[in-house]
Amino acid sequence: MAEHLPPATPSSLLHGDLHGAKLLLRERERDAVVGWECAQSGDPAYKLAVAVQGMARSVSTARMLEGYERAGGGAMRCEHVTFTSSP
């Protein structure tokens, strides 16, 4: 597993309880994330791994990582959140 860890980065602000019920996806307004009472500082790769746990390796995981990067979270590959060597 160690060879698939993401590069060391400083801690980031994390939601702490991110799942679908915390996402407000709207057509005519900006999307939002609600429920920040569990916010914490930590490794975003770990929290993304928790958020995608149980998802089949699919476009949804890749889209989540792309959205994370577009929002300013930095580049992250699927291997950083799943501990597998296959893309």
Side-chain angles (χ1 to χ4, degrees):
M1 286 193 319
E3 65 192 48
H4 297 290
L5 288 172
T9 57
S11 291
S12 299
L13 174 65
L14 306 172
H15 184 275
D17 187 29
L18 188 61
H19 54 80
K22 304 291 179 139
L23 303 174
L24 299 179
L25 305 176
R26 303 174 285 196
E27 285 187 36
R28 298 196 168 132
E29 298 177 48
R30 294 185 84 172
D31 296 337
V33 178
V34 298
W36 286 85
E37 64 274 0
C38 295
Q40 57 193 257
S41 178
D43 181 353
Y46 170 75
K47 296 312 280 187
L48 282 169
V50 170
V52 299
Q53 183 178 14
M55 285 184 181
R57 179 181 283 293
S58 66
V59 101
S60 59
T61 303
R63 282 184 66 192
M64 182 177 257
L65 297 178
E66 288 168 9
Y68 177 78
E69 184 175 356
R70 274 195 315 274
M76 197 174 304
R77 297 186 325 261
C78 288
E79 293 83 17
H80 293 161
V81 297
T82 59
F83 290 116
T84 63
S85 58
S86 59

